[in-house]
């Protein structure tokens, strides 16, 4: 049972200290996520969603509690976690293929196998004809799909998605949120998504 747990969040608390005073962003958060689960947390803007994801990703040190990924405490950023943001952060001067490869380049893992995995993801998820295009030639929804493929390319064990669709218009959001839900399930991913938008949360 226990080895089925990918992520354990234990009594997490976070207080920001600034010149103006203190902001308590998180208090006593505990949550387990099991392999293959896609968990969505919904909450209003400012309730601490991005703070939570930054702590899980090891980018921010919590004031209290801890995060355990595959039985090891997360203390620094780890390549086992893929992080997808509201904005796609694609590089405009790189083709879609080269954007999708960037995580592998950074991790120095651009093997033939890895390259063909990226090609297959692009083919499978509707970007086969756009591999040599630049981001500005794609719709918002396609850009977000390319961003997801870039995140999947390094085969992270666990995915974090921070309001990944909220920069898109309503129609696109409905379509792409459904598509991304399908992709995550098809690839058998374990994921935690946060959003302020109930409609966005219904994607699974
Ligand atoms: P959400 O992602 O749900 O909108 P955030 O995690 O970004 O919420 O922020 C939670 C609270 O913490 C907010 O009140 C925000 O103003 C505060 N906060 C976020 N980041 C910082 C920071 N770097 N320094 C001080 N306060 C912050
Ligand atoms: Mg946020």
């Amino acid at each position: 049972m226990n080895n089925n747990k990918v992520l354990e969040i234990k009594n997490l608390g976070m207080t920001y200290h600034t010149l103006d005073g203190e902001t308590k962003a998180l208090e006593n958060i505990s949550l387990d996520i099991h392999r293959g689960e896609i968990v969505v947390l919904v909450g209003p803007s400012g309730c601490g969603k991005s703070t939570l994801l930054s702590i899980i990703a090891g980018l921010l040190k919590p004031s209290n509690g801890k995060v355990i990924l595959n039985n090891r405490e997360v203390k620094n950023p780890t390549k086992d976690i893929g992080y997808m943001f509201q904005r796609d952060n694609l590089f405009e001067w790189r083709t879609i293929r080269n954007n999708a490869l960037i995580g592998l380049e950074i991790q120095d893992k651009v093997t033939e196998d890895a390259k063909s995995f990226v090609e297959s993801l692009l083919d499978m998820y509707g970007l086969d004809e756009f591999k040599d295009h630049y981001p500005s030639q794609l719709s918002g929804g396609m850009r977000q799909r390319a961003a997801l493929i870039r995140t999947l390319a390094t085969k992270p064990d666990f995915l974090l998605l921070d309001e990944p669709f909220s920069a898109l218009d309503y129609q696109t959001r409905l379509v792409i949120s459904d598509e991304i839900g399908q992709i995550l399930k098809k690839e058998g991913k374990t994921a935690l998504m946060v959003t302020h938008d109930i409609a966005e949360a219904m994607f699974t």
Side-chain angles (χ1 to χ4, degrees), residues 16-18 23-25 43-52 60 162-163 194:
Y16 290 105
H17 299 272
T18 62
T23 306
K24 199 179 265 182
S45 178
C47 78
K49 302 184 295 298
S50 296
T51 300
L52 176 64
L60 195 63
D162 194 347
E163 314 212 29
V194 298

Side-chain angles (χ1 to χ4, degrees), residues 23-154:
T23 306
K24 199 179 265 182
L26 296 173
E27 192 175 13
N28 255 326
I29 306 286
S30 295
L31 177 73
D32 288 347
I33 300 183
H34 298 85
R35 188 158 302 284
E37 282 181 331
I38 300 174
V39 175
V40 183
L41 298 179
V42 187
S45 178
C47 78
K49 302 184 295 298
S50 296
T51 300
L52 176 64
L53 295 200
S54 297
I55 292 171
I56 295 172
L59 298 167
L60 195 63
K61 196 173 146 29
S63 314
N64 295 298
K66 58 185 168 183
V67 175
I68 298 166
L69 179 74
N70 292 325
N71 298 316
R72 296 218 333 242
E73 188 173 351
V74 175
K75 292 186 167 164
N76 294 298
T78 150
K79 58 179 170 26
D80 296 335
I81 294 182
Y83 205 155
M84 189 167 158
F85 302 92
Q86 180 170 343
R87 294 195 303 123
D88 57 52
N89 296 312
L90 295 175
F91 291 124
E92 299 295 339
W93 63 89
R94 287 186 148 227
T95 61
I96 294 304
R97 177 189 287 106
N98 288 336
N99 265 291
L101 285 168
I102 202 155
L104 292 163
E105 284 177 22
I106 290 168
Q107 293 180 13
D108 201 14
K109 290 202 298 208
V110 192
T111 59
E112 286 307 314
D113 275 358
K115 277 200 279 190
S116 61
F117 178 56
V118 167
E119 292 295 312
S120 71
L121 289 173
L122 290 166
D123 289 344
M124 198 156 25
Y125 300 124
L127 294 173
D128 45 331
E129 287 170 22
F130 296 89
K131 291 173 190 166
D132 297 311
H133 286 54
Y134 289 88
S136 64
Q137 298 172 292
L138 271 61
S139 68
M142 293 166 87
R143 292 179 61 121
Q144 207 55 331
R145 238 183 292 143
L148 179 65
I149 290 170
R150 176 190 56 197
T151 308
L152 294 174
T154 54

